[in-house]
Amino acid sequence: MKKKIGAGDKLSGIKQISLGYDHSVALANDGTVFTWGLNHEGQLGDGSKTDQDSPTAITFLGDVPIKQVATGMSHTIALASDGTVFTWGNNQDGQLGDGNSGWGTNQLSPAAITFPSGVTIKQVAAGSSHTIALASDGTVFTWGDNRQGELGDGNSGWGTNQLSPTTITFPGGATIEQIAARSRQSMALASDGTVFTWGMISKGNWVGSDTQASPTAIPFPGGATIEQIEAGASHKIAIASDGTVFTWGSNDDGELGDGTMGTIEASPIPIAIPGGATIEQVAGGVCFTMALASDGTVFTWGLNLYGELGAGNIETNLVSPTVMSIPEGVLIEQVAAGNSYTAVLTSDGTVLTWGRNDYGQLGNGGKGTDQATLQKVIFPADASAGDPIPGD
């Protein structure tokens, strides 16, 4: 029987947010999944193709709560506590992993996909039209679009897509502990701190890109040990064990944060964070970057075409990490970046968004008006939905 996880319960707070190209997903503490924004391909998973300007709870078969969510350009993935993986939305390139592809194979509601017997998935990630899953034993599965080698199976180009989960191999038999993806690029972090990348290698928005069809180890200055990885649309980010932030890739709009723009960095470079703040989490969007410090300070830099940097203005890029103004008394615990909009999760489970809002992806009950300042997402079971932003 179909049961809505958490249906009828008061929202107890959000614990994870994930932003796609123009759709948003939030995971509540009780395992409920909420979606909102663009829905032309069924990426909201509510059984329709109707856009939503505020969060709607979606349903899953069974009563196993969801523990992680991930978003691609127009498809969505959810990982249940028992390791079951659900996918929905666009399936043009086989990114849902159900053995099908092409127009007419989209899924408007979550559907479980199949992995080899005995495999337990512990993390999922998504690029534009490809998906990655990490098993508990360190095995990595990929499927979907492979035009630029984003699946990491040694192939690339038209006709090399994979329609169901396929294992890939890593140099030296490395054991993978973390995965990341965005656009047409993929990343993995091994247990010894080695970072592997594959897929698109950007040369800049106006030059194009190269293809890397198999996982390749990336050297870091000073032999830094990496603890977290993140992919932007055409750049990559990593955090070392000492809190140093490294960026590399395209820097067309200042997204690398090194004080310049219109450049390319083929190898990781350390960037300076104001005040020597220790960074605990990073997020990469389309030509912009976010970083969250251990004291809750949020830094943003890069493209600001729609107010996605939260700097209170639009169309003013930032080429170095800049402190974002957060209302007094509000403690940020997570940051997330979408196409041209952004979200943060506060310590009390509140979600705040800003940036582009043409499809309602900010979740503030409206659409068509971009926002350069914080907006509170209105959840259906949130008793404080009508309250102002904390600290206002």
Side-chain angles (χ1 to χ4, degrees), residues 60-61 85-88 96 98 107 109-113:
F60 293 83
L61 289 174
V85 175
F86 296 90
T87 61
W88 61 95
L96 298 189
D98 61 3
Q107 293 287 343
S109 300
I113 63 171

Side-chain angles (χ1 to χ4, degrees), residues 34 66 105 115 168 223 241 244 254 296 347:
F34 295 89
I66 302 302
T105 68
F115 287 84
I168 63 172
S241 56
T244 301
S347 57

Side-chain angles (χ1 to χ4, degrees), residues 237-239 242-247 256-258 269-282 289-295 297-301 320-323:
I237 316 143
I239 305 177
D242 63 358
T244 301
V245 176
F246 293 89
T247 60
L256 298 189
D258 65 351
I269 57 171
I271 64 170
I273 303 296
T278 300
I279 301 302
E280 292 190 338
Q281 191 221 332
V282 289
T289 310
M290 305 178 71
L292 174 63
S294 56
D295 64 357
T297 301
V298 176
F299 299 88
T300 61
W301 62 94
S320 300
T322 303
V323 176

Side-chain angles (χ1 to χ4, degrees), residues 45-250:
D46 63 358
S48 78
K49 291 186 178 181
T50 303
D51 300 344
Q52 300 289 344
D53 57 20
S54 59
T56 300
I58 64 171
T59 62
F60 293 83
L61 289 174
D63 57 0
V64 178
I66 302 302
K67 70 174 185 178
Q68 191 223 330
V69 291
T71 48
M73 176 182 287
S74 54
H75 74 292
T76 311
I77 309 99
L79 174 62
S81 59
D82 66 353
T84 301
V85 175
F86 296 90
T87 61
W88 61 95
N90 191 354
N91 198 37
Q92 175 65 22
D93 295 297
Q95 57 263 54
L96 298 189
D98 61 3
N100 300 304
S101 68
W103 301 114
T105 68
N106 291 4
Q107 293 287 343
L108 305 187
S109 300
I113 63 171
T114 303
F115 287 84
S117 177
V119 170
T120 300
I121 301 301
K122 70 174 186 178
Q123 187 195 351
V124 291
S128 289
S129 300
H130 75 287
T131 311
I132 311 177
L134 173 63
S136 57
D137 66 355
T139 301
V140 174
F141 295 84
T142 62
W143 62 94
D145 189 12
N146 198 36
R147 277 170 283 183
Q148 290 199 269
E150 50 264 67
L151 300 189
D153 62 1
N155 301 306
S156 65
W158 296 100
T160 67
N161 292 0
Q162 293 289 343
L163 309 187
S164 57
T166 303
T167 57
I168 63 172
T169 59
F170 289 82
T175 300
I176 303 304
E177 291 192 339
Q178 188 183 140
I179 53 176
R182 191 92 186 185
S183 185
R184 297 184 182 276
Q185 43 185 9
S186 306
M187 304 177 71
L189 176 64
S191 56
D192 64 357
T194 301
V195 174
F196 296 92
T197 66
W198 63 97
M200 180 184 73
I201 304 174
S202 178
K203 294 180 178 179
N205 288 342
W206 309 114
V207 183
S209 61
D210 284 334
T211 292
Q212 184 175 289
S214 299
T216 301
I218 303 298
F220 282 78
T225 299
I226 302 304
E227 292 190 340
Q228 185 191 141
I229 53 174
E230 180 70 24
S234 55
H235 69 295
K236 301 176 179 72
I237 316 143
I239 305 177
S241 56
D242 63 358
T244 301
V245 176
F246 293 89
T247 60
W248 68 104
S250 174

